[in-house]
Amino acid sequence: MDITVVIPLYNESESLPELTQWIERVMEENDFSYEIIFVDDGSTDDSYSVIRRLAKKNPNIKAIQFSRNYGKSPALHTGFRIAGGDVVITMDADLQDSPDEIPELYRMITEEGYDLVSGWKKKRYDPLSKTIPTKLFNATARKVSGIKNLHDFNCGLKAYRKAVVKNIEVYGDMHRYIPYLAKNAGFSKIGEKEVRHQARKYGHTKFGLDRFVNGYLDLGTLWFQTKFGVKPMHIFGLFGSIMFLIGFLAVLTVIILKIVSICNPEFHFYLTKSVYFYLSLAAMIMGLQFFLTGFVGELIIRNSAERNSYLISDKIE
C-alpha cells in the first residue's frame, strides 16, 4: 500500500464527507493505493455515524472510536499502530489541511529520502490569539530540540516513512513534538514543506491558552527525558548529593559550635534553639529524598504498561 492517511477528529461531523471526497479524488488522480484511518476521539456529535456511512461506500476507510475524549496524541498513536502504508500522512479533520499536498509530501519521502516532512503554514488564517503563542512556542521548540529548519512543529499535516511511526511513541500531548521524538529515535532526515492553510469552514477551533502552557511543560518533560531519561542519577544524584553535603556540613558546624559552648561556659550556644540546626537537618533529609525518590515517579510513568492503553468502543476494519 502506498499511503495511509491518519485523521484524528473530535466533533467534526460536518467536514468529514467533504474531506473524504477530497482525499478520494487526490488518490484516484495519482493512482495511489491507500487507506484512510479515522480516529474518533470520543466525539459527542454524530461524527462516527458519518464515518460509518462513508465506510460503507469506500472499503479503504477504517475507523476507531474512543469511548471518551483522550486527546490528539492517543488518537495518533492508535492510528499509527494499525497504519499499513509505506508513507503515513496525518492531517486534521477540519478542512484547514489540504489533501492536494499529499502527492508532493509522498514524493519527498519516497524520492528525496526524508524520514519525516512537516508542513509549514506560512500564511495563516488564525486569530492573533493563536498565531502569536504559536510563533513563541515554535521558536522555543527549535532551540530546545536542535531542529533548526522547522517553522511549525505542531502542523497537523505531516508525512512519515512507515518505520518512523512504528518506532516512536506518541503519548500525553507529545503530538506537538513528533519531529523531536523522531530525531531522538534516530530518524534525523527531517524536512519541511510550505503548505496552504485554509480558513475553518465548519465548527470552531479547539485551541485554548491551556494548550500553550501545557506545550511548554511537555517540551520541558521531553527535553529532560532526552537528556536524563536513561541516566537519571546524573541529574538527581548530583542535586541530591550537593544538597545532602550542604546539610551535612551545616550540621557538623552546628555540632562543633555546641562542643565549643560546652567547653567554654562564656560562649552560649543552644542547639535546639538554633534555626540553622533545623535548616541543616531539613537540607540533609531533602537531599536524601531527592537522591532516592525524585526520579521514581517519572520512571514509573515512562515504563508504565498502561500508559497507552485506551478503551475502544467500536472499530471498522
Side-chain angles (χ1 to χ4, degrees), residues 29 58 67 95 139 170 182 186 213 223 267-268 270:
E29 288 177 353
N58 185 344
S67 61
L95 294 174
V170 189
V213 174
W223 173 85
F267 180 73
H268 301 287
Y270 299 99

Side-chain angles (χ1 to χ4, degrees), residues 7-11 37-52 62-70 74-75 78-79 82 310-317:
I7 304 175
L9 63 106
Y10 179 70
N11 292 344
I37 300 175
F38 289 108
V39 185
D40 184 353
D41 188 22
S43 295
T44 56
D45 64 0
D46 62 343
S47 291
Y48 200 69
S49 298
V50 173
I51 294 171
R52 280 183 173 278
K62 300 178 181 179
I64 293 172
Q65 182 187 37
F66 288 164
S67 61
R68 66 173 178 85
N69 181 243
Y70 286 103
T78 305
I82 65 172
Y310 312 110
L311 182 61
I312 295 172
S313 60
D314 196 17
K315 194 172 184 179
I316 301 173
E317 297 181 337

Side-chain angles (χ1 to χ4, degrees), residues 21 65 70 76 79 114 139 170 233 267 274 283-284 290 293 308:
Q21 291 176 3
Q65 182 187 37
Y70 286 103
L76 288 173
Y114 284 103
V170 189
M233 283 299 290
F267 180 73
S274 172
M284 288 182 64
F290 195 55
T293 67
N308 267 313

Side-chain angles (χ1 to χ4, degrees), residues 44-265:
T44 56
D45 64 0
D46 62 343
S47 291
Y48 200 69
S49 298
V50 173
I51 294 171
R52 280 183 173 278
R53 292 196 296 269
L54 295 171
K56 289 179 180 179
K57 298 177 182 179
N58 185 344
N60 296 317
I61 292 177
K62 300 178 181 179
I64 293 172
Q65 182 187 37
F66 288 164
S67 61
R68 66 173 178 85
N69 181 243
Y70 286 103
K72 188 173 183 178
S73 291
L76 288 173
H77 173 82
T78 305
F80 287 164
R81 296 285 72 80
I82 65 172
D86 294 331
V87 174
V88 178
I89 307 286
T90 60
M91 62 173 53
D92 295 335
D94 55 12
L95 294 174
Q96 291 188 288
D97 296 331
S98 171
D100 287 331
E101 306 285 355
I102 290 176
E104 179 61 16
L105 290 170
Y106 177 81
R107 189 196 65 79
M108 292 178 72
I109 297 292
T110 57
E111 295 183 15
E112 297 186 26
Y114 284 103
D115 296 314
L116 185 157
V117 179
S118 182
W120 174 30
K121 297 173 182 176
K122 187 174 182 179
K123 182 179 180 181
R124 303 185 68 98
Y125 294 95
D126 293 323
L128 288 177
S129 60
K130 184 175 180 180
T131 55
I132 292 177
T134 297
K135 288 182 179 296
L136 293 173
F137 159 77
N138 283 309
T140 306
R142 283 194 296 272
K143 182 69 174 178
V144 173
S145 68
I147 305 175
K148 305 296 185 182
N149 63 321
L150 293 190
H151 292 83
D152 189 358
F153 277 72
N154 196 28
C155 179
L157 186 57
K158 288 184 174 66
Y160 311 81
R161 195 156 52 86
K162 184 178 181 179
V164 176
V165 302
K166 299 300 183 182
N167 288 281
I168 61 173
E169 186 181 12
V170 189
Y171 62 95
D173 283 322
M174 291 299 178
H175 60 274
R176 303 179 181 95
Y177 306 109
I178 289 181
Y180 196 5
L181 293 172
K183 178 187 175 184
N184 291 340
F187 300 101
S188 58
K189 191 165 184 182
I190 298 172
E192 182 175 72
K193 179 186 183 301
E194 187 175 334
V195 297
R196 283 188 297 145
H197 181 222
Q198 304 184 136
R200 175 178 278 274
K201 191 173 182 179
Y202 305 104
H204 60 278
T205 181
K206 314 298 191 298
F207 178 84
L209 287 178
D210 58 326
R211 292 173 62 188
F212 180 62
V213 174
N214 292 340
Y216 276 101
L217 295 176
D218 289 336
L219 181 60
T221 298
L222 184 55
W223 173 85
F224 189 86
Q225 289 182 346
T226 301
K227 293 291 185 181
F228 306 107
V230 295
K231 46 185 178 181
M233 283 299 290
H234 286 204
I235 180 67
F236 292 111
L238 175 62
F239 286 138
S241 298
I242 292 174
M243 188 175 292
F244 183 86
L245 182 61
I246 292 173
F248 178 77
L249 292 176
V251 168
L252 190 62
T253 302
V254 170
I255 292 175
I256 291 174
L257 290 174
K258 181 60 180 177
I259 294 174
V260 171
S261 69
I262 292 174
C263 297
N264 184 1

